[in-house]
Amino acid sequence: MLFMLYIAPLFHMGKPEKRFGYADDGAILVISTSLVTNSKILSTSLQEAITWGNAEGIIFAPDKYELIHFSRHRAEQDPTQTPSVSAGSITVSEGTERPYLRWLGILFDKKLRFNWHVQEMTSRAATIATALRCLGNTVHGMKPHLLQQAILACVLRKAYFGAEIWWPGCDRPRSRPGSPPVSNRMNKHLKDLSTVILTGARAVLPVFCTTPTPALHRESGFYPPEIELDRIALAASTRLSRLDPDHPLQKRAKAIIQKGRPTSRLARRVLTLPRSEQVNPLTHPPWLEHEPREAALARVGATGGLTKEQAADNFRTHLKSIPESNIVIYSDGSKQVNGQTGGGFVGFIAGCQVVRGSFPLGRNKEVFDAEAIAALLGLKAAIKHLGPYAASNIWICLDNLEVAIRLLSSTTGSSQEVFKEFRTVAATWTSCQIRPFTENGPIRIRWVPGHANIPGNEAADQAAKEGANQTLAPPHL
């Protein structure tokens, strides 16, 4: 950590967005219309880095310097004809021994096709798979489940290393709607990877060489390469939503969504995913104090060690102790068999229903998110009904324990913005002066056991099902 802080100024020189670092490895990217211009800018940047290093007592390793020019022009593919980068007595030229540059384990070739990377990773994985295959056969050897773990850790991890970088999919759509897709010519890579996977499958399973390929995939648990590569690419795209908002990839993803044009491999992946919530993992740093879970459970009335019937009786007893002037909001979420999600809420004062609402959320939400939104909308409906001149407590009752705990606490999980808005609305209501010499009561959260014949909760459940059955209106463009 101290070393990273020490060398941080190195990545803030010139254009910081074109400087990259990981541990003690650094890289500078320059983009222009000619290789000569690139080389001049790189020479200036290298000289700045060396001058800064001399002033700070840092010595670089010139023997580890590498240079590569990415270009589509055939005349600029010969490394002996491309310009070099110079800084004082140091000259860096493109390597002639190998047609690629290694950065963090990824092999970048001059046309960014990653053919060398796939070939090297596949070759290494095949060597390991062949060696592991010698540890078992149809008669004796290691147990299959142990060999499966070894293949997953040592072979497939190696074969698919960096797949989210180089895998573009088997084809890509054309710019003209309705036209057939364009092939990405990945058949050779898929064939080589399939050979590695089947070698690993035969190492795991006590089978003969004539065993059909589908049976090998099924019994070994190793997916065909196209399926696994698509899964890795989609998982990498999904992880973008949990990155720090200041992360370079997060910024690029936001710009891609705003433009809506699939002009690159990353753009096609980002736009393939449905619109989803962007979670900020740093909204509540881990070094700040968190509410203990035991205290949160006690706060919402979730006493441990009780049966469902006992918890329901406790809630009914507590409900009788709430003053009649208070408003009690029950909220719930629901998800239908067809994937449609919705929520609903019902509010009571002195046992009489005063507010009710239901809403759809479509197919891209879970019940957890629906219950959080239902609690927020129920709180807003209660405040609107009470108006600015009523002195009363507001009770939010719901049967989802995790949502009940997070409504008044910070979270870095799903529905982050909903919980944040709930806390803001709750704080506004609590601090609002309503009548002379009076003040609003606090917002109180109470967990209620679900499907325990509690009328308010059953009414909220019915409202949530009505919301899930409603049609979600299309977004306004």
Side-chain angles (χ1 to χ4, degrees):
M1 293 292 293
L2 292 177
F3 174 76
M4 293 172 65
L5 294 173
Y6 186 48
I7 66 172
L10 177 64
F11 301 100
H12 290 276
M13 300 177 181
K15 295 183 177 180
E17 66 276 7
K18 301 299 182 184
R19 291 174 179 260
F20 309 94
Y22 185 85
D24 60 344
D25 293 330
I28 302 174
L29 174 66
V30 176
I31 302 175
S32 69
T33 57
S34 70
L35 300 186
V36 176
T37 303
N38 275 11
S39 298
K40 291 181 180 179
I41 299 175
L42 287 172
S43 298
T44 302
S45 300
L46 178 59
Q47 184 60 59
E48 289 177 353
I50 294 175
T51 302
W52 175 83
N54 293 335
E56 298 295 335
I58 295 179
I59 301 177
F60 299 102
D63 57 316
K64 295 184 179 180
Y65 291 170
E66 292 185 75
L67 170 69
I68 188 169
H69 294 288
F70 303 113
S71 176
R72 291 189 177 96
H73 300 293
R74 182 173 299 180
E76 297 174 344
Q77 300 303 313
D78 186 1
T80 61
Q81 303 298 322
T82 55
S84 58
V85 174
S86 301
S89 59
I90 299 175
T91 301
V92 187
S93 302
E94 284 195 288
T96 56
E97 297 82 8
R98 56 184 188 182
Y100 56 79
L101 177 144
R102 185 187 302 274
W103 168 249
L104 302 182
I106 307 295
L107 308 184
F108 293 85
D109 55 89
K110 293 180 68 65
K111 290 188 177 182
L112 293 178
R113 292 178 177 173
F114 299 99
N115 293 335
W116 289 93
H117 174 82
V118 179
Q119 291 176 12
E120 181 167 332
M121 295 299 108
T122 304
S123 176
R124 293 181 183 180
T127 302
I128 300 173
T130 303
L132 291 176
R133 190 177 179 184
C134 299
L135 300 179
N137 54 40
T138 58
V139 179
H140 56 76
M142 288 181 61
K143 294 182 178 180
H145 75 277
L146 297 178
L147 274 172
Q148 184 188 43
Q149 295 178 13
I151 295 295
L152 285 171
C154 304
V155 178
L156 299 189
R157 296 287 185 184
K158 178 70 68 175
Y160 292 128
F161 178 74
E164 53 267 62
I165 303 297
W166 62 264
W167 174 247
C170 286
D171 50 48
R172 62 184 185 275
R174 294 181 183 269
S175 57
R176 181 181 299 177
S179 302
V182 181
S183 173
N184 288 320
R185 300 180 181 179
M186 294 284 112
N187 292 336
K188 184 180 184 304
H189 294 337
L190 293 176
K191 182 179 179 180
D192 294 342
L193 285 171
S194 180
T195 301
V196 173
I197 294 172
L198 294 179
T199 302
R202 290 190 173 94
V204 173
L205 302 172
V207 296
F208 297 100
C209 296
T210 56
T211 303
T213 298
L216 290 175
H217 285 299
R218 176 183 175 83
E219 300 302 328
S220 66
F222 302 151
Y223 294 109
E226 181 179 351
I227 297 177
E228 184 65 17
L229 289 168
D230 287 338
R231 186 197 66 80
I232 293 173
L234 286 174
S237 302
T238 306
R239 287 197 301 271
L240 288 176
S241 61
R242 290 197 60 86
L243 290 176
D244 177 4
D246 292 329
H247 194 283
L249 288 178
Q250 182 67 273
K251 293 181 179 179
R252 288 182 60 187
K254 289 182 179 179
I256 289 170
I257 293 175
Q258 291 177 355
K259 294 181 180 179
R261 300 177 182 176
T263 55
S264 66
R265 188 175 304 168
L266 177 62
R268 286 191 290 271
R269 290 178 182 171
V270 171
L271 295 176
T272 299
L273 295 175
R275 291 294 180 90
S276 60
E277 176 189 7
Q278 301 297 310
V279 178
N280 182 3
L282 302 180
T283 185
H284 191 70
W287 53 82
L288 296 181
E289 184 178 357
H290 290 256
E291 181 184 20
R293 184 170 181 81
E294 293 75 13
L297 292 174
R299 173 170 55 82
V300 299
T303 306
L306 299 179
T307 64
K308 186 174 183 180
E309 291 74 15
Q310 292 173 335
D313 291 338
N314 286 351
F315 179 81
R316 293 189 185 96
T317 302
H318 173 76
L319 190 62
K320 294 178 181 178
S321 66
I322 297 178
E324 293 185 353
S325 61
N326 291 0
I327 183 170
V328 181
I329 300 293
Y330 295 88
S331 62
D332 203 356
S334 177
K335 188 170 187 177
Q336 302 300 323
V337 179
N338 59 5
Q340 294 286 348
T341 308
F345 59 87
V346 181
F348 297 89
I349 295 180
C352 299
Q353 179 178 312
V354 292
V355 293
R356 189 180 190 275
S358 58
F359 55 90
L361 292 176
R363 298 176 181 270
N364 296 327
K365 293 289 185 179
E366 297 296 331
V367 176
F368 180 92
D369 307 304
E371 300 216 9
I373 298 174
L376 173 61
L377 296 181
L379 174 60
K380 291 182 176 180
I383 294 176
K384 183 178 180 181
H385 176 78
L386 291 174
Y389 301 107
S392 175
N393 291 338
I394 298 178
W395 294 83
I396 305 295
C397 302
L398 61 161
D399 57 12
N400 191 308
L401 182 58
E402 292 302 319
V403 175
I405 291 175
R406 298 185 188 186
L407 281 176
L408 292 178
S409 61
S410 299
T411 178
T412 56
S414 180
S415 295
Q416 186 182 75
E417 291 299 322
V418 176
F419 291 123
K420 181 180 178 181
E421 186 178 356
F422 186 94
R423 295 194 305 272
T424 302
V425 175
T428 303
W429 168 256
T430 303
S431 61
C432 179
Q433 187 71 23
I434 50 174
R435 290 180 180 176
F437 311 109
T438 63
E439 60 182 17
N440 282 341
I443 306 298
R444 301 179 185 273
I445 311 299
R446 193 75 182 183
W447 172 74
V448 50
H451 305 290
N453 295 323
I454 297 176
N457 188 60
E458 297 297 331
D461 180 69
Q462 182 62 33
K465 291 179 179 178
E466 293 176 6
N469 289 323
Q470 296 175 11
T471 302
L472 181 65
H476 297 285
L477 301 178

